[in-house]
Amino acid sequence: MFDGLHEIDWSQMHHAYGTAEEVPGLLHALASADEEERGKALDRFYGAVHHQGDVYQCTAASVPFLFELAGDAAAPVRAAAVELLVGIGRAAFEYGATEENGWDFSGHYKAAALMRERAGTFIGFATDSDRLVRQAAIPALGLLVDDAERAAAVLRERLPAAPGVVERLLLVEAMAELALPRPDVLAAASAWLASLADDTALDPTTRLAALIQHARCTPDFDAQEATRTAVALLREPTAPTGDWWLTPTPAAPAPTIEPGSAPVEVIAAFEDLDRHATVHSPVTGLLRTFHEVLGARVSERTMLLAEQLRSADPGTRLDALRMGSELIRSGSGGHGPLVELIGAQLADPYPEVVAEAASALGSCHPVPEPARPVLAAFVAAQYAQYGPQAWASSQRHLRRAHQEAVLALARLGDERALPSLVVALDDGVDAWRAVQVAKWLPGAAGQLVPRLVERLLGFDLDQQWIETEVNATLHALGHLGRTAAVGAVEEVLGRAVRGERWGIVCSALAALRQSGPAAAPVLPVIRELAALGADVNSNVAPAAVAALRAIEGDAQEGTATASGPTG
């Protein structure tokens, strides 16, 4: 296997993290009998050689050997190799025709040429006896095969023989992908999709897929009628889709960040990305496509989401919540009814659905005002059962649901969120989340400011990842603190200047600017910073000048900066 692999000078090529000398070893590891070794090699291949969908020269040079792996009946990694090839081909075809304008697209051009040479191989994979190989290869018929008539014929022939709904969905989607850029086959493909959507002998999910893909191929489709039909199909009972969970794992695994290796906010952001990349229902991708086709038609999309949220399948409801929050954040139209639908999910029997509903409401500020009553009732019920300590619960979904609901309430300026925020700041459990919303509760400044001040003064500015948390605390105090926080901000400002933590210096100056005349005792320090040269830091002097303007007025600021630093 891999004839010619070591005749290539891999050291002259690069991937995302350096020279490509490791590629031959990765390819050999993909052929290993050891599952753990194969898994590590696949992760590394995605992470470096096909990093974030990039196609380097070494990526293209790997393509023939990946085809060899995919075609080896004894190789345990066949489906993964096919999926990797399809991902590389997708990127190569997408960017391979792009003007170079400074970027090196030679890897894309080479990979695209290799894919075209082996188009027939993809057709063979799409009819393979191995179900996972077939499912990985079917998208290639819509993306990577130039002979559209042949690809369309294979797709039509395969549908009656497809053993499960997942495969049928892939076949239907591939037909739309094939037809959309090709006017010569679009009419026939659209007619085939319409016939599938009307075929009552087919299962409802396949008919739904055909309906949605037909809408993609028909710019003037009737959105209301299509949505009503989709809702009716969603209401029909469907057979279990047990093979859904056995499909190949998604390409480009989400990166993991170890605790302590990055700011807590960054770690949480990656956890959110991973959570949002997880799909819980086989119809989610399909319905997401329909939402994209419907675009700014808010009433139709809300009708569809309402049905998704009524589904008996908790995975469908969970994924619908994410789609709903995305629609609300898009800002296209009024979303009161949708907010109420999402709020109703706080009563769901599945804790993960409840947590996602609370998160969706919290992410849509200030839109979720219609959900304030149910948010407050939900938090009150948790207080009654667990007390404000629910904020730090050891039950993962309970903790997330409570925290997200409290944060959503706080962003609405509702002081019923305060008991849990106090717990967070006093005990230090996810205190950074409480800091982020403190500014929305000016009426509770008497309880929040002393705790924020204590938190601010307790930071060790020499710690590697401390700046984000310090800056967030300074931002909150700038909104709430006024006179009570000035002394603490001044102390941290001095420590940051001595340690040359200029990002913190700028945040402290911003907090003092928001304090206005109450920050007058700090003017001598601010004047010195206003005269600081750009060779030290280009952001500090403008931040100091802005603080001077707020504290003593434009005229005095002009005099102060002209006179230079004072002791």
Side-chain angles (χ1 to χ4, degrees):
M1 183 177 280
F2 299 154
D3 288 344
L5 176 65
H6 296 287
E7 296 173 11
I8 298 171
D9 189 354
W10 297 94
S11 67
Q12 295 303 304
M13 292 182 277
H14 291 77
H15 57 44
Y17 299 107
T19 66
E21 293 169 280
E22 68 174 312
V23 172
L26 292 176
L27 289 166
H28 279 296
L30 286 174
S32 170
D34 183 88
E35 183 177 359
E36 183 177 358
E37 185 178 0
R38 293 196 307 272
K40 288 180 179 178
L42 189 62
D43 285 349
R44 179 62 178 173
F45 206 99
Y46 273 114
V49 186
H50 189 36
H51 175 71
Q52 295 183 352
D54 285 337
V55 179
Y56 307 93
Q57 291 185 19
C58 68
T59 320
S62 304
V63 165
F65 306 107
L66 291 172
F67 269 109
E68 191 173 348
L69 264 177
D72 183 357
V77 76
R78 291 186 67 211
V82 173
E83 188 173 28
L84 185 51
L85 282 167
V86 173
I88 294 170
R90 186 192 302 271
F93 275 57
E94 182 176 355
Y95 295 107
T98 306
E99 293 294 331
E100 295 203 18
N101 59 31
W103 290 92
D104 179 9
F105 284 103
S106 57
H108 295 76
Y109 301 142
K110 179 63 174 176
L114 289 168
M115 296 293 173
R116 286 191 169 95
E117 289 174 8
R118 292 165 171 79
T121 307
F122 280 119
I123 291 175
F125 289 151
T127 59
D128 197 273
S129 59
D130 186 318
R131 176 176 57 82
L132 295 183
V133 171
R134 287 198 310 275
Q135 291 182 9
I138 286 169
L141 273 62
L143 298 167
L144 310 179
V145 177
D146 286 336
D147 188 343
E149 292 290 347
R150 184 182 179 195
V154 172
L155 292 171
R156 288 192 296 268
E157 291 165 6
R158 285 300 308 167
L159 191 100
V165 67
V166 171
E167 194 162 321
R168 289 193 288 274
L169 298 188
L170 289 168
L171 290 163
V172 169
E173 181 181 10
M175 181 65 86
E177 292 288 347
L178 178 72
L180 280 168
R182 296 178 173 90
D184 54 322
V185 298
L186 183 60
S190 182
W192 182 69
L193 292 169
S195 69
L196 294 180
D198 292 337
D199 187 350
T200 55
L202 285 173
D203 64 278
T205 306
T206 302
R207 293 178 62 200
L208 177 66
L211 171 77
I212 292 170
Q213 299 302 340
H214 177 263
R216 285 182 70 198
C217 297
T218 313
D220 58 348
F221 77 102
D222 186 329
Q224 287 190 350
E225 179 61 27
T227 305
R228 283 193 292 267
T229 304
V231 167
L233 289 169
L234 285 171
R235 289 176 180 171
E236 290 192 28
T238 57
T241 55
D243 60 346
W244 165 248
W245 304 108
L246 298 177
T247 52
T249 54
T256 56
I257 299 182
E258 295 296 325
S261 63
V264 290
E265 294 89 340
V266 172
I267 295 173
F270 271 94
E271 289 174 351
D272 281 341
L273 283 174
D274 188 46
R275 195 160 34 237
H276 283 251
T278 302
V279 175
H280 299 85
S281 166
V283 298
T284 291
L286 188 58
L287 292 171
R288 185 173 289 281
T289 297
F290 197 28
H291 280 286
E292 291 170 359
V293 172
L294 290 170
R297 300 177 178 94
V298 174
S299 60
E300 286 82 1
R301 293 183 65 181
T302 301
M303 185 194 312
L304 181 63
L305 283 164
E307 189 59 35
Q308 292 174 247
L309 291 170
R310 281 193 288 263
S311 171
D313 172 35
T316 299
R317 300 198 299 275
L318 189 61
D319 293 340
L321 286 166
R322 291 165 187 166
M323 295 183 208
S325 64
E326 289 167 9
L327 174 57
I328 292 171
R329 290 197 302 273
S330 73
S332 53
H335 298 293
L338 181 53
V339 169
E340 292 178 357
L341 283 170
I342 293 174
Q345 302 303 305
L346 293 173
D348 196 277
Y350 285 83
E352 191 172 356
V353 175
V354 174
E356 194 60 41
S359 176
L361 293 171
S363 69
C364 299
H365 175 80
V367 177
E369 178 62 41
R372 185 197 291 259
V374 292
L375 277 168
F378 176 73
V379 170
Q382 290 188 315
Y383 284 162
Q385 187 170 0
Y386 307 103
Q389 290 296 333
W391 177 276
S393 173
S394 60
Q395 300 177 49
R396 181 166 58 96
H397 295 312
L398 167 62
R399 177 173 173 164
R400 180 170 176 248
H402 182 78
Q403 288 189 3
E404 294 290 356
V406 165
L407 297 176
L409 265 186
R411 290 188 183 97
L412 291 170
D414 196 312
E415 292 186 18
R416 285 173 284 192
L418 186 60
S420 291
L421 301 183
V422 168
V423 167
L425 293 171
D426 285 350
D427 296 348
V429 177
D430 293 332
W432 64 275
R433 295 185 186 274
V435 170
Q436 287 185 332
V437 298
K439 68 178 182 180
W440 301 106
L441 298 171
Q447 294 191 60
L448 292 173
V449 168
R451 292 174 166 87
L452 291 169
V453 164
E454 183 179 359
R455 177 175 173 80
L456 180 67
L457 295 178
F459 286 125
D460 178 0
L461 303 192
D462 292 330
Q463 289 185 4
Q464 183 179 9
W465 303 114
I466 203 65
E467 184 168 322
T468 303
E469 290 193 74
V470 176
N471 290 347
T473 307
L474 286 165
H475 181 71
L477 284 171
H479 280 271
L480 297 176
R482 304 298 185 262
T483 305
V486 167
V489 175
E490 180 181 11
E491 179 180 330
V492 169
L493 174 63
R495 286 161 50 195
V497 170
R498 290 190 293 274
E500 298 184 352
R501 302 297 298 267
W502 303 117
I504 295 175
V505 169
C506 291
S507 293
L509 288 168
L512 292 170
R513 183 187 74 234
Q514 290 175 295
S515 298
V522 198
L523 282 173
V525 176
I526 299 175
R527 291 192 186 102
E528 290 186 359
L529 293 172
L532 196 67
D535 56 322
V536 177
N537 185 278
S538 61
N539 297 317
V540 171
V545 169
L548 286 172
R549 285 176 176 163
I551 296 167
E552 62 177 6
D554 289 345
Q556 291 181 338
E557 177 276 320
T559 303
T561 53
S563 64
T566 64

